[in-house]
Amino acid sequence: MAQQPPDQLNRVFLELKSKNDDVRRKAAFDLRNHVVAASRELPTERFQDYYNTVNARIAALIEHSNDSNERVGGILALDRLIDFDGDDAAQKTTRFARYLRAVMRSNDNAAMILAARALGRLAVPGGTLTAELVESEVKSALEWLQSDRQENRRFAAVLTLRELARNSPTLLYSFVPQILEVVWVALRDPKVLIRESAAEAVGACFEIIAARDSQLRQLWFSRIYDEAMQGLKLNTVESIHASLLTVKELLLKGGMFMTERYHDACEMVLRYKDHRDALIRRQVVVLIPIVASYAPRDFVNGYLHKFMTHLGNQLRKEKDRNPSFVAVGKVAGAVGSAIAPYLDGILVQVREGLRVKAQVHPVPVLRRTG
């Protein structure tokens, strides 16, 4: 391996520019293997030159390329090298953070999502520099959420907060109140992707506080829930969607908090099942198995028939059939044998779905010859 590093680097970096995601991911994996092998086989000075070249070429892909595929390839390569321990950790954190910040200030959504994940991995606790990185990134994200709307910055902010919360919960803990205070502007953003990413960031924050101070947990869960209920009164698609997303995260991450509010949550989901906007109706379908799983006995006693009737109707609509089938399967898993009265109707819709699929994608008939 060590005999021809330039040739190998050229091949790997060419593949990192590929339009094929599998090719790029394999190239990133290969690059890490080459770097590890070089660190073992080359003298220190020669390896440092080699490694500097690798980093310079990664930087060129991330910071200077105008092609999204190449930028993504560079991020994938960087991500693979985060846990490479053959270099100075502090220098790597500083260098990689600089590359990733450049992406987070762009308008390349695909690259931003990957860059945020890499930034999160870079922020896994490991020294004072990591703490400084987290603090710096959180403050930037909070500033972007509170400034006039710039779509790419708002998206970058919620992506960053989501990944830092997932990867560095201890360091993020002290910032959670500030995050939950200002995140509603992103939860109600005009862009669906920003709303959904903001909800995931909120869910990650819920996990942080759920494992810690019970008083803080109750305080913030209550504030968030109350704000979600207020959002329903605004009666815009964005505010309703934000409230549904938030209640979803409370059901999934809020532990026992939603027990006293379970009936209200189920009634809310029922209320919006026939909303004029398709996005709201789809979110309702997503929520049905979540409320079923939260309190299966209460769901069976009070809501199973209402929701199964609704899902049965959705199964008859071709464009709503697939997510509705998924929801039915999850409800069945939650309620067990209580699903039995609905099985015949479900099987009828399964057969109909297969019939329609066969018409759209007919299976070729193989004929014998000779």
Side-chain angles (χ1 to χ4, degrees), residues 88-102:
D88 182 272
Q91 290 183 7
K92 175 167 63 181
T93 299
T94 301
R95 180 173 60 249
F96 283 6
R98 185 179 73 248
Y99 300 164
L100 295 171
R101 284 188 188 111

Side-chain angles (χ1 to χ4, degrees), residues 1-2 5 32-43 47 50:
M1 176 271 146
R32 187 187 190 283
N33 287 341
H34 291 326
V35 169
V36 170
S39 71
R40 294 170 180 166
E41 298 173 17
L42 293 174
F47 171 70
Y50 173 85

